[in-house]
Amino acid sequence: MIRIAAVGDVHVDKDVLGRYRPALERLPDVADVLLVAGDLTRHGTVEEAKCMATEFGELGVPVVVVLGNHDHQSDQQEDVARVLADSGMTVLEGDGTVLELNGHRLGIAGAKGFGGGFAGACASSFGEREMKNFVGTTEAIAEKLGAALRGLECDALVALTHYAPVPETLVGEPLEIYPFLGSYLLGQAIDSAPTALALHGHAHHGAERGRTPGGVPVRNVAHPVIKQAYNVYQLLSDNVDAGLVAV
Ligand SMILES: [Fe+2]
């Protein structure tokens, strides 16, 4: 069994320091790895990235993250990613990593993702150049995510994104903004590989649980949704949610 702790949208800045730390210090007792589903900072500055590295660094378990839209806000996303990588975290963007945990190989493919909407109500690559660029951005990210997922050799495979791959985990958000919260193309990418679990954030008012059309469990781990420092999910186990603990 592999125990995966996950959270998203932690939006760390100076005033957040210490808020997550007590629960994070207990991580090695309850999980084998921590995945963070983007929006690590409030405005994507290097200062905030340093705060994130302090709050989520040196936990005693590997930490794997993707960036979110907030981490792009100051156009310093490369510097933000470097600060986090320098602190020991693995930062994924259209690529993957394999971790050896409890004698099992956990494969994680990650990407920020992007918007576009879902079946029956999605943007299409037609008309203005700006619209083609918008849809093309999502297509390119989804293609990379799918290739990364299919390329990992492991015993259990996880997809980590910021944007949502399905609409079910957006329930609670205004319907009008669904196209800005995720894309069905991410769901297709997840279904193109033997993915065991898909984790995302971004939808603060959404719901925790969903499933891709191909049957992959999807969990929205945005902090305002799970309302604790992290949830713990179990892979190579009968029930992905069996490990849920109060932190
Ligand atoms: Fe976000």
Side-chain angles (χ1 to χ4, degrees):
M1 186 175 69
I2 301 174
R3 302 166 302 168
I4 295 176
V7 63
D9 307 82
V10 290
H11 294 289
V12 181
D13 196 353
K14 273 198 195 74
D15 59 308
V16 176
L17 284 172
R19 189 183 299 173
Y20 295 95
R21 196 71 198 180
L24 293 172
E25 302 270 357
R26 297 199 295 275
L27 258 180
D29 297 329
V30 297
D32 305 304
V33 61
L34 174 67
L35 307 188
V36 191
D39 280 3
L40 314 173
T41 65
R42 200 165 278 154
H43 297 108
T45 66
V46 167
E47 299 303 293
E48 291 172 357
K50 287 179 181 165
C51 292
M52 171 64 189
T54 301
E55 187 75 356
F56 282 75
E58 291 174 28
L59 293 180
V61 299
V63 180
V64 180
V65 309
V66 294
L67 301 189
N69 57 314
H70 279 249
D71 306 315
H72 281 245
Q73 167 61 16
S74 301
D75 285 324
Q76 295 175 23
Q77 57 271 17
E78 272 130 46
D79 297 325
V80 166
R82 196 172 311 120
V83 168
L84 300 175
D86 286 348
S87 79
M89 297 179 193
T90 300
V91 185
L92 298 178
E93 182 48 59
D95 54 354
T97 186
V98 177
L99 301 173
E100 183 88 30
L101 302 168
N102 296 338
H104 303 294
R105 293 168 305 166
L106 174 68
I108 307 151
K112 178 178 60 64
F114 201 48
F118 301 90
C122 58
S124 60
S125 185
F126 183 89
E128 299 91 331
R129 176 49 50 196
E130 290 85 351
M131 186 54 88
K132 289 173 184 154
N133 288 344
F134 178 72
V135 175
T137 300
T138 309
E139 285 173 345
I141 292 173
E143 216 164 281
K144 274 190 165 183
L145 177 68
L149 283 164
R150 293 188 299 275
L152 292 174
E153 282 197 25
C154 56
D155 305 310
L157 183 60
V158 174
L160 178 65
T161 61
H162 180 59
Y163 284 76
V166 296
E168 278 169 272
T169 49
L170 303 183
V171 172
E173 295 280 2
L175 205 50
E176 291 83 353
I177 66 167
Y178 276 29
F180 306 108
L181 296 177
S183 164
Y184 75 100
L185 294 171
L186 300 173
Q188 283 186 347
I190 288 162
D191 281 342
S192 75
T195 313
L197 175 65
L199 299 167
H200 75 87
H202 194 40
H204 292 204
H205 305 289
E208 187 207 352
R209 298 184 188 185
R211 205 169 269 280
T212 65
V216 177
V218 177
R219 297 292 178 268
N220 173 4
V221 292
H223 181 250
V225 171
I226 65 170
K227 296 184 172 62
Q228 55 180 4
Y230 47 82
N231 270 0
V232 179
Y233 302 102
Q234 292 183 353
L235 296 187
L236 304 175
S237 135
D238 290 343
N239 180 357
V240 78
D241 300 303
L244 291 181
V245 288
V247 291

